[in-house]
């Protein structure tokens, strides 16, 4: 059982790595794409916004779909979707098809983290869940680290269209692996857990949205992902536009902050799990690490005044803290809610994050197009995690599992 559950966690981490590779194809290859399809900063922001709006919508719908279909069927469906959408980018001859492809890619990838959260809730005990989610979230770094050198190599040897075809094929190969290997967990559940799952299944989407702690989690993710998606999507372009990097230099150096994000994902989850194993409550163990992560994010405010080598170190610290934070935020639904609504809650949290990223992406494109610099944007995003953490402290209440009685009260509320 132990080996099997961690095998499935690794499978999901691979899927998340593929998803982050796929979403990095456009930002890393943008300089080459612009030789064929001219794009302004504003149009580039539209492409990222299209991805994130569809991503946000599918986070909610995908979470609900996964709760209805189950983890195995639901994850298989969304992976097929986004792999085909990624390959479609390679057929684009103008901005319109790129925009459409980006919408489809975002729609497919929106189901990834709700599915990952369900796998953790289905297979992993509470004291190990943040470690498992940290490992899964580290897949974001693997995909992002691999993207610059692999995409750079393909750009130099074949061309930008090949990148999207290769990425799509990798996703479809994972689908075959998942279909063969993954099975749901049939372990014995306590009567309280069974009761909670039955009651959870009767709680509609509207009542889930109305829960104060859900709103706090969604807002925290909204704030943190506003910063994260700006850093994720605009870092290569910043290196091209401001630091004068070429494709080779981006391939050589842009992976470093993403590697730090992977380390942060694992360390953040491990640290929280270790606190629980040492006798701390789930509430203290999650909030203490989240707070430390939030305190590290303002280092991005110094990027614009630092030499490029130090700037990469600062980016790395921020990426480390952000992904440690992100893994824990996506663990919270498994800490509080029964499996029957975990996908829904995780979807809503992810929805908040994607909307934040989409809106701030538009703001970033507008500001850069109207005389503002990256320095202004770095000053703004350096505050976002602190605001999100404050919302959790003030409004989320105690992080602990909802009992059957709690769920009965929610279900019967007007």
């Amino acid at each position: 059982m132990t080996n099997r559950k961690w095998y499935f966690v690794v499978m999901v981490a691979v899927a998340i790595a593929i998803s982050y590779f796929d979403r990095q194809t456009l930002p890393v290859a943008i300089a080459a794409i612009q030789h064929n399809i001219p794009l302004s900063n504003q149009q580039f922001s539209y492409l990222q916004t299209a991805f994130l709006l569809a991503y946000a919508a599918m986070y909610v719908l995908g979470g609900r779909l996964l709760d209805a279909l189950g983890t195995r069927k639901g994850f298989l469906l969304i992976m097929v979707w986004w792999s085909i959408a990624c390959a479609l980018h390679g057929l684009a001859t103008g901005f319109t098809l790129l925009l459409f492809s980006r919408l489809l890619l975002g729609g497919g990838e929106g189901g990834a983290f709700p599915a990952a959260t369900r796998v953790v809730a289905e297979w992993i005990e509470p004291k190990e869940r943040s470690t498992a989610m940290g490992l899964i979230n580290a897949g974001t770094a693997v995909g992002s680290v691999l993207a610059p050198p692999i995409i750079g190599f393909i750009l130099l040897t074949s061309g930008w269209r090949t990148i999207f075809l290769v990425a799509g094929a990798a996703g479809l190969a994972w689908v075959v692996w998942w279909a063969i290997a993954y099975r749901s967990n049939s372990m014995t559940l306590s009567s309280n857990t069974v009761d909670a799952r039955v009651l959870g299944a009767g709680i509609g989407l509207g009542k889930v949205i109305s829960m104060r702690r859900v709103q706090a989690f969604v807002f925290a993710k909204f704030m943190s992902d506003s910063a994260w998606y700006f850093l994720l999507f605009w870092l290569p372009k910043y290196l091209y536009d401001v630091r004068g990097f070429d494709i080779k230099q981006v391939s050589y150096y842009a992976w470093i902050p993403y590697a730090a994000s992977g380390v942060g994902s694992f360390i953040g989850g491990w640290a929280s799990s270790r606190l629980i194993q040492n006798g701390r409550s789930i509430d203290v163990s999650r909030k203490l690490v989240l707070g430390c992560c939030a305190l590290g994010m303002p280092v991005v405010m110094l990027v614009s005044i630092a030499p490029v080598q130090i700037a990469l170190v600062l980016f790395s610290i921020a990426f480390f803290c952000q992904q440690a934070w992100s893994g824990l935020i996506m663990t919270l639904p498994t800490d509080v809610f029964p499996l029957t609504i975990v996908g829904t809650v995780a979807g809503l949290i992810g929805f908040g994050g994607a909307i934040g990223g989409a809106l701030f992406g538009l703001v970033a494109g507008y500001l850069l197009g109207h005389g503002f610099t990256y320095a202004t944007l770095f000053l703004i995003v350096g505050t976002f995690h602190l605001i999100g953490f404050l919302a959790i402290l003030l409004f989320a209440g105690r992080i602990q599992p909802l009992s059957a009685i709690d769920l009965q009260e929610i279900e019967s509320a007007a």
Side-chain angles (χ1 to χ4, degrees):
M1 174 72 77
T2 299
N3 290 337
R4 192 181 188 195
K5 71 183 182 184
W6 291 107
Y7 176 72
F8 292 149
V9 167
V10 170
M11 284 188 75
V12 177
V14 172
I16 298 300
I18 293 171
S19 79
Y20 264 67
F21 183 95
D22 290 355
R23 70 183 67 180
Q24 282 296 91
T25 48
L26 182 71
V28 176
I30 188 64
I33 293 171
Q34 286 179 307
H35 291 305
N36 301 113
I37 306 174
L39 297 169
S40 66
N41 277 333
Q42 195 70 63
Q43 286 177 310
F44 182 75
S45 74
Y46 290 156
L47 291 174
Q48 307 314 331
T49 299
F51 172 90
L52 287 169
L53 288 177
Y55 187 67
M58 192 58 184
Y59 243 120
V60 176
L61 297 175
R64 208 63 177 167
L65 177 70
L66 283 154
D67 286 339
L69 294 182
T71 309
R72 183 174 180 272
K73 289 181 181 178
F75 210 161
L76 188 149
L77 176 64
I78 62 173
M79 190 70 160
V80 170
W81 176 347
W82 97 55
S83 298
I84 293 173
C86 186
L88 186 62
H89 286 67
L91 303 179
T93 57
F95 174 74
T96 301
L97 187 51
L98 271 181
L99 187 70
F100 178 68
S101 301
R102 212 68 186 159
L103 275 167
L104 289 180
L105 181 64
E109 290 198 7
F113 269 101
T117 306
R118 278 188 59 92
V119 171
V120 170
E122 195 169 313
W123 280 97
I124 308 298
E125 296 81 6
K127 66 181 180 180
E128 296 179 316
R129 281 177 180 166
S130 66
T131 300
M133 189 56 75
L135 180 59
I136 288 171
N137 203 45
T140 64
V142 174
S144 299
V145 166
L146 292 177
I150 293 177
I151 292 171
F153 175 78
I154 296 174
L155 284 173
L156 294 171
T157 58
S158 182
W160 66 266
R161 298 183 188 279
T162 305
I163 295 165
F164 297 101
L165 300 177
V166 170
L172 293 175
W174 184 92
V175 167
V176 175
W177 180 26
W178 178 260
I180 293 171
Y182 189 80
R183 295 295 181 270
S184 296
N185 188 8
S186 58
M187 65 181 180
T188 303
L189 302 173
S190 70
S191 59
N192 182 64
T193 302
V194 172
D195 289 344
R197 290 188 181 183
V198 171
L199 289 166
I203 296 176
L205 180 61
K207 289 185 178 179
V208 173
I209 293 172
S210 70
M211 295 181 197
R212 191 176 185 183
R213 57 165 45 91
V214 172
Q215 294 169 359
F217 295 160
V218 170
F219 178 77
K221 187 72 166 168
F222 175 91
M223 295 305 303
S224 64
D225 276 13
S226 296
W228 171 235
Y229 284 115
F230 170 72
L231 296 173
L232 178 70
F233 288 144
W234 290 81
L235 174 59
K237 203 168 191 308
Y238 169 76
L239 295 176
Y240 286 131
D241 294 347
V242 178
R243 299 293 182 162
F245 279 33
D246 57 24
I247 291 174
K248 286 185 178 179
Q249 287 173 307
V250 169
S251 299
Y252 291 155
Y253 299 112
W255 64 270
I256 296 172
Y258 300 116
S261 75
V263 177
S265 293
F266 181 77
I267 294 296
W270 173 84
S272 187
S273 290
R274 188 60 181 265
L275 287 170
I276 294 173
Q277 292 167 5
N278 288 341
R280 300 287 185 179
S281 67
I282 293 176
D283 183 65
V284 170
S285 300
R286 302 298 188 237
K287 289 177 180 176
L288 181 59
V289 181
L290 284 169
C292 291
C293 295
L295 288 171
M297 289 303 298
V299 298
V300 297
M301 296 178 178
L302 304 175
V303 163
S304 294
I305 61 173
V308 66
Q309 298 92 338
I310 302 301
L312 286 171
V313 172
L314 295 174
F315 276 127
S316 298
I317 293 171
F319 276 48
F320 177 101
C321 293
Q322 149 60 33
Q323 288 304 86
W325 163 285
S326 181
L328 288 170
I329 285 287
M330 295 308 295
T331 304
L332 297 181
T334 71
D335 292 328
V336 177
F337 301 97
L339 180 64
T340 41
I341 56 172
V342 159
T344 299
V345 176
L348 289 169
I349 294 171
F351 171 83
I355 290 295
L359 292 178
F360 192 74
L362 289 175
V363 171
Y366 177 84
L367 292 178
L368 290 173
H370 288 78
F372 290 86
T373 66
Y374 281 93
T376 302
L377 296 171
F378 291 139
L379 284 173
I380 294 170
V381 301
T383 67
F384 285 174
H385 286 70
L386 293 171
I387 295 170
F389 181 62
L390 185 62
I392 290 175
L393 290 180
L394 293 177
F395 303 114
R398 188 173 178 83
I399 308 301
Q400 61 185 13
L402 290 175
S403 68
I405 294 174
D406 295 328
L407 292 164
Q408 281 179 323
E409 291 176 354
I410 293 168
E411 188 177 9
S412 62

